Amino acid sequence: AENQMKITYSTISKTGKRSNNEDAFNVIDVPEKGCWMGIVCDGMGGQNKGDYASTLGLNILKDAFLSKRKFYNKLSVLRWFAKTIRLINKTVYNESTSDQTYQGMGTTMTAVVILPTFFAVAQIGDSRAYILRNRVLTQITEDQTLVNYLYKTGKITKDEMRTHPKRHILMNAIGTYAICDADINVHDYNDESLLLCSDGLINNVKERDIESILKGEDTTEQKTNELISLANANGGSDNIAVVLWEAQK
């Protein structure tokens, strides 16, 4: 339709060397709303708890998005994200504390709602969102991890972050506590590529290699397949989920 974004997107996930896949991901494509949503969740807890937490969180966010009639402005998106994430955290936390089967489960969540002129990003944990702007890849979320805290407070260097023995410890996740604070931000949007991914990609593929693939001329689906293949070739140490969004007027 006239004045509607022409979009392509691709989603993919692989187990890597793990025995099961605890990542959940989706793109909710409802162009008649004038907006779209991408989600990546990385569950934790083991023994099928993590995949339950990530899928539960994703489905609640998806249902809330589909039932939302319209976003009128940036503030309405921010308020919706905050309200919905409180609901998601409460639901996952209650499940984990009331059913011993799911005790200790939780999930990260990185989600983006995209409208023609801006997008909003919600961040809990260490999955990530990137933007390719002017052919430069930039991380637009901040890892809520112990090593990032140590780096920001000057305790370790950036190079030490990649190999620190406590690099997988999260400072924030959905469902682990009764209250969960999300980082929610709004950015201007001008048809740039957006990438959401779990830490299984980042831990196995350098950002310069991700940037090189996203700048290439391959299709969106080919790019996501290349990212997964490279992550597995470099060790595939964890589940890997990728959501890639590319658009032009």
Side-chain angles (χ1 to χ4, degrees):
E2 189 176 355
N3 297 326
Q4 190 177 87
M5 282 192 292
K6 179 182 178 183
I7 59 102
T8 60
Y9 58 85
S10 178
T11 63
I12 188 172
S13 181
K14 295 295 182 181
T15 303
K17 291 183 178 178
R18 296 292 182 91
S19 58
N20 63 312
N21 196 340
E22 298 184 329
D23 289 353
F25 60 98
N26 207 341
V27 169
I28 317 303
D29 182 6
V30 192
E32 60 268 23
K33 282 179 178 280
C35 59
W36 297 257
M37 183 171 69
I39 318 163
V40 166
C41 298
D42 183 356
M44 65 199 77
Q47 297 178 344
N48 298 324
K49 301 172 188 173
D51 57 355
Y52 179 70
S54 61
T55 302
L56 179 60
L58 183 147
N59 285 337
I60 295 171
L61 188 65
K62 174 184 175 181
D63 291 345
F65 180 76
L66 290 173
S67 65
K68 178 70 174 176
R69 291 187 62 188
K70 187 176 182 180
F71 294 110
Y72 293 96
N73 49 40
K74 295 177 181 179
L75 183 59
S76 69
V77 182
L78 294 174
R79 286 176 171 171
W80 174 84
F81 253 143
K83 178 182 178 181
T84 307
I85 288 169
R86 285 196 297 269
L87 171 63
I88 294 169
N89 186 74
K90 180 180 179 181
T91 304
V92 176
Y93 179 76
N94 286 345
E95 288 267 357
S96 69
T97 55
S98 62
D99 187 339
Q100 192 172 10
T101 304
Y102 299 117
Q103 186 176 1
M105 73 176 179
T107 184
T108 72
M109 178 176 285
T110 301
V112 56
V113 170
I114 309 165
L115 290 94
T117 60
F118 71 90
F119 64 91
V121 181
Q123 170 76 1
I124 307 102
D126 65 347
S127 297
R128 290 185 180 180
Y130 288 88
I131 188 168
L132 186 70
R133 178 170 281 161
N134 298 323
R135 297 181 63 78
V136 175
L137 187 71
T138 303
Q139 184 179 343
I140 52 176
T141 53
E142 185 170 343
D143 296 349
Q144 297 170 342
T145 58
L146 177 60
V147 293
N148 191 48
Y149 170 77
L150 293 174
Y151 168 68
K152 289 174 65 178
T153 54
K155 303 291 194 306
I156 61 174
T157 66
K158 194 170 186 67
D159 287 339
E160 290 174 322
M161 293 174 69
R162 289 185 65 87
T163 57
H164 196 281
K166 295 184 178 180
R167 62 188 178 277
H168 300 301
I169 296 179
L170 295 176
M171 301 288 284
N172 192 22
I174 287 175
T176 54
Y177 297 101
I179 297 175
C180 171
D181 291 324
D183 289 338
I184 309 172
N185 298 287
V186 175
H187 304 262
D188 292 334
Y189 184 63
N190 189 28
D191 299 345
E192 296 91 351
S193 296
L194 296 173
L195 172 72
L196 307 183
C197 62
S198 61
D199 65 342
L201 181 70
I202 302 306
N203 292 339
N204 292 284
V205 182
K206 294 180 179 179
E207 289 186 353
R208 67 171 179 265
D209 294 326
I210 296 174
E211 180 184 85
S212 178
I213 289 172
L214 297 193
K215 290 194 299 186
E217 299 300 322
D218 289 336
T219 66
T220 307
E221 183 178 5
Q222 287 171 335
K223 290 174 183 177
T224 55
N225 286 326
E226 288 165 20
L227 291 171
I228 293 287
S229 296
L230 185 56
N232 280 323
N234 290 344
S237 58
D238 199 353
N239 304 153
I240 312 153
V242 173
V243 170
L244 178 59
W245 169 277
E246 297 184 308
Q248 61 256 121
K249 293 289 186 183

